[in-house]
Amino acid sequence: MSESASDTPARSRGGNLLVIVFAGLTILLGALAVLSPVKVDDPVVTWPKAGEQPVSTVVPLSPYRPLQFDATVPCETVRAAERLGGNALSTSVVGDQGMLVQSKQGKITITASGSTLITEAVPAGSCAYRVLADGNGVRVLRDQTMIAERKGMWPPQVAELTSQADKLPEARGLRVELHTDARYQSSPSVLKIVLLVLHALCLIVTLVLAWRRWGDKAKFAISRPRLSIPDGVVLLVSGAWVFLGPMQMDDSWYLRMAQNASESGFMGNAVYMFNITENPFVLSQYLMQWWGELGGWSLWWIRLVPVLCGLITWVLLRVALASMLGRAARLRFVPWALLAAHLLWFLPYGVTLRPEPVIVACGAAVLLFAEIARARESIAALALATVFATLAIAVSPSGIAAAAPLVMALPWLIRWLRAQTWSGRVAAILLAGAAMSIMVPIGFTDASLGDVLDATTAHQWYYIAHPWFEEIVHFNTLLDTSGWGRRLPVLLTVAVVLVVAIGSGRANMGNDPLRRLTLAAAITTAIAFVLIALSPTKWVNHFQVMQPVATLLLAAALVRSPLPRKVGLVARAAALLLTVGAVALSYAGQNRWHPFTDAGQRFGNHLDVDSTVNDLEPHFGPLYLRSPLPWLAIVLAAWLWTRWRRNRGKLSRVDGERAVLLAAVAGSVVLLFGLFAYAPMRQSPGWTVAKSGVETLFGNGCGLASGVKVLVPSGNSLGAPIGQPTRAGDFTASGRSPMRAGSWEDTKQTWHDDLPDGSSTGTGTLTTAWYPLPATGGTHVTVPLAGQLNGQRLEMQFGAGDPRNPSIVDTVKLRPDDRLPIDVWQQVQAEIPAQRPAFVRVSVADVVTGRGTWIAAEEPRLTEYRPVNDLAKQGTVFADQISGALWPCVNPALIRDGLTDTPGVFLAADEIIDPRILNNPTHVDWGGAWLQTSRTWVRSKVTSILDPEGPQRLPWGQVFVLRYPYHVNKFDLRVDTVDRGGLYRGPSLADNTYPDISRNPGIKPDDIRKQREREAAAGGDK
């Protein structure tokens, strides 16, 4: 909009100067706030506890290495440790990246991060060794004299602090003090708070001044649509979808981020990437954090955030469509077309806890204000559109797609700028900068610029990223990994854009509002596809950010075909081929909805994970929707209908490609809603997400905790064993157990045939003594087993008769989970026969030869099914990044102060999901945030079931009891605070030597070359 006629040049110049002053001040204050210092927590661990003897303990750091490390080891401790095995002090159990002080044959050896620092004879008399490590390297002192130094070496990784001399008098003086790496656990300084408040006030003033200067007519560009039935349908479907909607793999991940941030004070990854900060892309997590703190952390409560975003999106799109179409918006079919297009996107994507729903809502606001700005050439409205586009980017890098309408505004904006004075041009440019500075309070309030740069470098180093010209990877991921419900809106949108391109060259598409809307929406959608290519990650869910403009495009195409009435046969055939091909290709995707919402789904055998034979593609009898034949039949029916209408002198605008589009959009919406409404009923009375959500609504649900039962020791117990176990082969050895901790809380006996020196075949047999079975109590007998269990003979035998020599009356083959690694206990059970026997024993035969094929077993116990909360209520619980949202009533294990909690129970998803996904929190290549914790715990899988079970389904999940070889929390922790400048950056984690890996998923050839050059320059120490 040009300046109003009532403005005098002086008044106009004065208004511009006001905007220039406040917009410039806003930008300046924002920049100063970004650069201002922050208060950073500096947690300090001291071991042993004040006034106590050293006690070996678990100290799981996350990130893995402390910022500073100071250990003192008296010579008396070294000598005492040699008598007991040699370990005077150790910080890690796996690999060589920790620190180890050991003594053999009177010589002390100190190693750290894979390098030997010293080896020398232990001096006689009183002396002490001290190891100091920080960002400059590692130093070893003996009685204040430096005897070794390695510059550039990392401080050692720390998972535990152990000594074989602990609890001995000679261990007095053994001490460790370390500063954990909590560099992102910060809060704004007083200066930063003042700058942020002033920035916010100036931004508000700037926007108000801009609205008063240029927004006086913008309000007349807004049309308010009348309420109609589609509005009610959206409200009802959105409410139902809180319970019925599909879960996504990342839902619990983002919930875990928000939940952890409420305790730690910063938005870390919480799962991997060393728990580094997610700033500046944190808006959606902040919203989720606030909402979770308000009403709890259940999936269904948190789902209200994306549902609310969906409703906001609907309202904004209704207003935008009415504003764009004018009188044409009163056509009865228009809101119904928008409804179908909206639900096409919302149903498969809309209730995810990922960031995309917030981006979609912001994108809809950008679309509306950009249209207002275009209609009235209002710079004020365009500034508001810029604010919302920046908010979208503050959610995730993929939010840049929300800026597509701003690109569309460039032609009139350039024309407007040319017509302005220099003061007007400067004011408009500074206004845009001020609007974009909304990123500052979101992305930098509790993070410094140095933090953001540091975290960005680490993300780029460890995370899979692709340049814009590899956007084909994005579409490959869509086709290879997603089901039909998520494919269809994307592929249909692409098809309609291409159809519009075909039609736009054959007729003037700007003759009426519908044509203008179709063309503008198609161009904006194409720009959004280009912008989303700039996102470095190519996950399927990123396509959801296309929803606002794609919804308008599909709605316009549903109301009227993008093709003009008179179009050539080739053009119409091409449009038909594109539309039918997109629909058929979409339905070629499988109908899987993991995690947890696949149970009860129709089509094919959902218990079979083999995609070549499970027949999951949507079909009705022999009619598969992936086939073009049913869609070509719709084309034929539309052609016959059109001819019949025209023969009677009536108008028909339902041509082939529009008929297919109508059928595909409406049909998929009805099909998807029907499938998810029917699935819980089909799975009844078993546990489902929908059923549990309804129970939670009425206050008597705890997610999976309401349906899962586990086999735990009964109140009664087996009698004392009669006689001794029979052992043969390697089971006769009495070496140290390969398992660092037992499966039972009070393990008394462990048998195994592990001979790590390879001196035998690695085979043997074990038959335990007979255990008397009480007449009542318990439903199963459970025995913990570990090692190489696949291909072995594992049996539970029940007996009766003479107690001195019972006869075997029943033998049950034990069936462990052969997917688990050998260092995990499995509590394998046999149900007690109906005619209750008097005795029970375990028979194990190791028949697999070779090193690492050992078996370990513990004594059996009488067990019975109890609610999983009987386990979970005993301490903190680690619910993984896939299932965590379904465990709202447990006490979650968190990461804070550079340390992870030490949970007692591990709740994991299953459903035969790829182990690489399940193991993300403990995977070293991804910088798993719980790696050090997992190196100290020993998992013991407990048998679990869903009760009531309902129809058969894939394994719902897994329950592990976690045991530790040492005490937990046997150290003191204090949290100091330090001031750090806004540009301060700590030691970079973007180095493969930090976690000690050879390659990482995000590494590029140039990075490998540079890393090798650095290693060569540093002598390989770091």
Side-chain angles (χ1 to χ4, degrees):
M1 183 185 74
S2 59
E3 297 173 4
S4 61
S6 61
D7 279 352
T8 64
R11 182 178 178 182
S12 174
R13 188 163 47 252
N16 291 339
L17 289 175
L18 272 177
V19 174
I20 289 172
V21 169
F22 279 94
L25 190 57
T26 301
I27 296 171
L28 176 62
L29 289 168
L32 291 175
V34 169
L35 296 172
S36 60
V38 293
K39 291 186 175 295
V40 183
D41 287 344
D42 179 24
V44 181
V45 171
T46 54
W47 177 77
K49 280 179 168 288
E52 296 184 7
Q53 277 279 100
V55 176
S56 294
T57 187
V58 176
V59 190
L61 266 58
S62 185
Y64 312 155
R65 301 178 189 267
L67 295 176
Q68 298 176 37
F69 181 87
D70 183 352
T72 300
V73 185
C75 293
E76 293 86 349
T77 305
V78 176
R79 299 188 193 100
E82 181 169 355
R83 298 195 300 269
L84 299 173
N87 174 19
L89 177 62
S90 176
T91 69
S92 182
V93 67
V94 176
D96 58 2
Q97 291 300 300
M99 189 197 75
L100 176 62
V101 179
Q102 60 182 348
S103 178
K104 290 183 180 180
Q105 300 177 352
K107 289 187 175 182
I108 183 175
T109 300
I110 301 179
T111 60
S113 298
S115 295
T116 300
L117 302 178
I118 67 156
T119 297
E120 66 176 24
V122 180
S126 177
C127 60
Y129 290 87
R130 188 177 181 189
V131 180
L132 299 171
D134 53 28
N136 296 318
V138 180
R139 302 173 299 284
V140 180
L141 290 77
R142 185 193 339 106
D143 293 337
Q144 308 304 317
T145 301
M146 184 182 297
I147 58 176
E149 182 178 15
R150 292 294 179 90
K151 293 183 178 181
M153 178 180 283
W154 290 108
Q157 292 187 9
V158 177
E160 60 189 30
L161 295 173
T162 64
S163 174
Q164 290 179 312
D166 67 347
K167 304 177 185 178
L168 295 179
E170 292 89 341
R172 292 190 181 94
L174 178 62
R175 184 177 183 275
V176 173
E177 179 178 285
L178 60 88
H179 295 244
T180 69
D181 190 349
R183 68 180 77 181
Y184 305 113
Q185 195 167 303
S186 60
S187 57
S189 62
V190 174
L191 173 62
K192 188 164 191 172
I193 292 173
V194 172
L195 290 171
L196 287 170
V197 171
L198 293 175
H199 169 268
L201 292 174
C202 284
L203 178 58
I204 293 171
V205 171
T206 300
L207 293 175
V208 170
L209 289 173
W211 193 262
R212 294 182 63 182
R213 177 78 183 89
W214 294 301
D216 55 332
K217 294 184 179 180
K219 59 184 178 181
F220 298 112
I222 301 176
S223 297
R224 298 179 182 177
R226 295 178 180 177
L227 290 176
S228 60
I229 294 176
D231 297 309
V233 172
V234 167
L235 187 61
L236 292 175
V237 170
S238 299
W241 219 235
V242 172
F243 306 100
L244 298 176
M247 282 191 68
Q248 306 218 21
M249 287 290 189
D250 293 341
D251 284 353
S252 296
W253 194 321
Y254 280 87
L255 183 145
R256 176 174 283 278
M257 285 190 204
Q259 190 175 21
N260 201 90
S262 68
E263 295 292 333
S264 68
F266 79 100
M267 195 63 66
N269 184 281
V271 174
Y272 62 18
M273 219 72 74
F274 311 106
N275 192 38
I276 61 178
T277 183
E278 293 290 299
N279 292 69
F281 308 111
V282 289
L283 177 58
S284 67
Q285 290 98 310
Y286 281 158
L287 292 174
M288 199 183 305
Q289 178 187 346
W290 170 76
W291 191 248
E293 292 172 348
L294 184 66
W297 298 99
S298 77
L299 170 71
W300 306 275
W301 172 256
I302 301 297
R303 269 186 173 181
L304 292 177
V305 174
V307 165
L308 182 60
C309 289
L311 292 174
I312 292 172
T313 300
W314 168 257
V315 171
L316 293 172
L317 291 182
R318 281 277 276 146
V319 175
L321 190 62
S323 301
M324 293 175 180
L325 291 182
R327 293 183 179 180
R330 299 176 185 175
L331 294 173
R332 222 179 319 176
F333 186 60
V334 168
W336 289 100
L338 185 66
L339 170 68
H342 173 74
L343 293 181
L344 179 72
W345 281 93
F346 176 78
L347 293 183
Y349 290 105
V351 292
T352 179
L353 304 188
R354 287 178 50 86
E356 284 79 14
V358 178
I359 296 176
V360 170
C362 292
V366 175
L367 199 61
L368 175 60
F369 285 107
E371 170 57 23
I372 295 171
R374 181 204 63 81
R376 298 293 181 180
E377 293 193 354
S378 170
I379 295 299
L382 193 63
L384 289 177
T386 304
V387 167
F388 283 104
T390 306
L391 290 176
I393 296 172
V395 176
S396 169
S398 61
I400 193 172
L406 299 181
V407 178
M408 289 287 289
L410 287 177
W412 72 259
L413 177 61
I414 293 173
R415 184 175 64 250
W416 184 92
L417 287 172
R418 287 176 177 173
Q420 302 304 306
T421 62
W422 277 106
S423 64
R425 296 171 190 171
V426 173
I429 293 171
L430 290 179
L431 174 62
M436 288 187 286
S437 73
I438 190 70
M439 173 69 84
V440 172
I442 297 167
F444 295 91
T445 292
D446 58 358
S448 68
L449 179 60
D451 289 341
V452 171
L453 294 175
D454 183 57
T456 300
T457 302
H459 277 117
Q460 292 172 342
W461 184 260
Y462 291 101
Y463 204 65
I464 299 174
H466 298 273
W468 63 269
F469 52 83
E470 292 182 3
E471 181 63 7
I472 188 64
V473 174
H474 205 173
F475 286 90
N476 288 339
T477 305
L478 177 73
L479 296 177
D480 294 341
T481 66
S482 67
W484 66 270
R486 295 187 178 113
R487 288 185 181 188
L488 188 61
V490 179
L491 296 182
L492 269 184
T493 299
V494 173
V496 172
V497 168
L498 295 176
V499 171
V500 172
I502 292 172
S504 63
R506 285 161 175 78
N508 182 5
M509 297 190 71
N511 290 334
D512 61 56
L514 264 174
R515 296 292 187 194
R516 287 196 300 271
L517 170 62
T518 303
L519 181 58
I523 296 174
T524 309
T525 302
I527 293 171
F529 273 119
V530 172
L531 292 176
I532 200 176
L534 300 177
S535 175
T537 53
K538 308 297 180 184
W539 302 119
V540 171
N541 284 288
H542 291 339
F543 280 114
Q544 189 188 357
V545 303
M546 308 289 299
Q547 180 178 342
V549 64
T551 298
L552 288 186
L553 175 63
L554 291 174
L558 289 171
V559 174
R560 183 180 299 172
S561 172
L563 294 178
R565 295 180 188 178
K566 295 181 180 180
V567 67
L569 180 61
V570 174
R572 190 168 294 281
L576 190 60
L577 180 63
L578 284 169
T579 308
V580 172
V583 176
L585 183 59
S586 298
Y587 279 106
Q590 292 200 33
N591 183 39
R592 279 216 185 274
W593 298 95
H594 294 312
F596 299 105
T597 44
D598 191 63
Q601 289 287 340
R602 282 184 51 83
F603 304 131
N605 181 11
H606 285 257
L607 301 177
D608 190 343
V609 297
D610 187 350
S611 60
T612 62
V613 297
N614 55 23
D615 201 27
L616 297 189
E617 291 93 342
H619 62 280
F620 300 92
L623 183 64
Y624 284 79
L625 298 183
R626 70 171 186 263
S627 169
L629 293 180
W631 308 106
L632 292 175
I634 291 173
V635 174
L636 178 60
W639 180 77
L640 293 174
W641 169 260
T642 300
R643 286 201 61 181
W644 182 81
R645 293 274 296 178
R646 289 177 179 173
N647 288 340
R648 282 158 177 75
K650 298 180 180 180
L651 180 63
S652 176
R653 294 182 177 177
V654 183
D655 51 14
E657 78 281 347
R658 181 168 173 244
V660 172
L661 189 64
L662 284 165
V665 173
S668 68
V669 168
V670 173
L671 179 61
L672 197 55
F673 188 87
L675 287 173
F676 278 87
Y678 175 67
M681 295 185 285
R682 190 183 187 200
Q683 195 63 23
S684 182
W687 186 94
T688 62
V689 171
K691 175 184 176 183
S692 188
V694 173
E695 291 174 349
T696 302
L697 178 67
F698 291 99
N700 60 347
C702 265
L704 276 167
S706 300
V708 174
K709 290 188 175 181
V710 291
L711 267 181
V712 295
S714 169
N716 287 357
S717 59
L718 300 176
I722 302 172
Q724 297 297 320
T726 302
R727 297 182 291 167
D730 289 348
F731 273 104
T732 61
S734 57
R736 183 178 178 181
S737 171
M739 302 298 290
R740 301 183 73 222
S743 177
W744 302 121
E745 184 176 5
D746 56 345
T747 294
K748 296 181 176 63
Q749 179 66 61
T750 300
W751 302 280
H752 68 89
D753 64 343
D754 179 35
L755 294 178
D757 60 2
S759 60
S760 71
T761 60
T763 60
T765 60
L766 164 71
T767 302
T768 68
W770 287 103
Y771 292 81
L773 194 62
T776 60
T779 57
H780 295 73
V781 177
T782 298
V783 59
L785 300 173
Q788 174 58 50
L789 303 180
N790 191 25
Q792 312 280 28
R793 182 175 65 78
L794 312 169
E795 296 177 345
M796 186 85 71
Q797 298 173 349
F798 293 95
D802 186 353
R804 294 169 297 180
N805 187 24
S807 58
I808 298 175
V809 297
D810 196 3
T811 298
V812 179
K813 290 187 176 182
L814 302 177
R815 304 187 182 280
D817 186 347
D818 58 14
R819 299 173 298 163
L820 294 176
I822 63 175
D823 60 351
V824 175
W825 286 109
Q826 299 187 51
Q827 296 185 9
V828 190
Q829 80 288 344
E831 187 174 6
I832 298 174
Q835 293 186 349
R836 197 175 182 97
F839 306 98
V840 64
R841 71 180 181 183
V842 177
S843 179
V844 172
D846 185 343
V847 297
V848 179
T849 61
R851 180 177 295 183
T853 61
W854 51 268
I855 298 176
E858 293 187 354
E859 71 274 13
R861 298 281 176 96
L862 191 64
T863 55
E864 62 189 10
Y865 279 109
R866 300 290 300 275
V868 69
N869 273 344
D870 285 7
L871 283 179
K873 67 184 180 183
Q874 297 175 8
T876 59
V877 174
F878 181 82
D880 72 1
Q881 78 282 3
I882 297 176
S883 66
L886 298 172
W887 296 99
C889 300
V890 303
N891 182 18
L894 303 173
I895 305 173
R896 52 202 152 190
D897 301 324
L899 293 158
T900 73
D901 287 340
T902 48
V905 176
F906 182 0
L907 304 170
D910 192 341
E911 297 184 300
I912 320 298
I913 294 171
D914 189 334
R916 292 174 297 178
I917 298 174
L918 294 175
N919 295 334
N920 270 331
T922 59
H923 200 294
V924 64
D925 287 355
W926 290 99
W930 294 82
L931 175 67
Q932 299 296 78
T933 331
S934 71
R935 286 174 168 174
T936 60
W937 71 38
V938 176
R939 288 186 293 164
S940 181
K941 183 176 180 179
V942 181
T943 300
S944 60
I945 60 171
L946 289 175
D947 184 32
E949 191 170 11
Q952 188 177 2
R953 62 190 292 166
L954 289 174
W956 73 268
Q958 304 178 82
V959 177
F960 298 92
V961 172
L962 302 178
R963 307 292 185 198
Y964 297 90
Y966 311 111
H967 295 279
V968 299
N969 300 324
K970 287 296 183 178
F971 55 85
D972 286 327
L973 174 68
R974 74 175 190 272
V975 181
D976 299 332
T977 302
V978 296
D979 293 324
R980 285 187 180 151
L983 292 175
Y984 174 83
R985 298 179 66 175
S988 177
L989 305 181
D991 191 324
N992 283 354
T993 61
Y994 185 88
D996 188 31
I997 57 177
S998 58
R999 297 288 174 87
N1000 58 275
I1003 200 166
K1004 304 295 189 298
D1006 285 346
D1007 298 327
I1008 297 173
R1009 176 180 54 78
K1010 293 176 182 177
Q1011 178 179 321
R1012 288 173 178 170
E1013 291 174 354
R1014 288 197 303 269
E1015 290 173 352
D1021 286 338
K1022 182 173 175 179

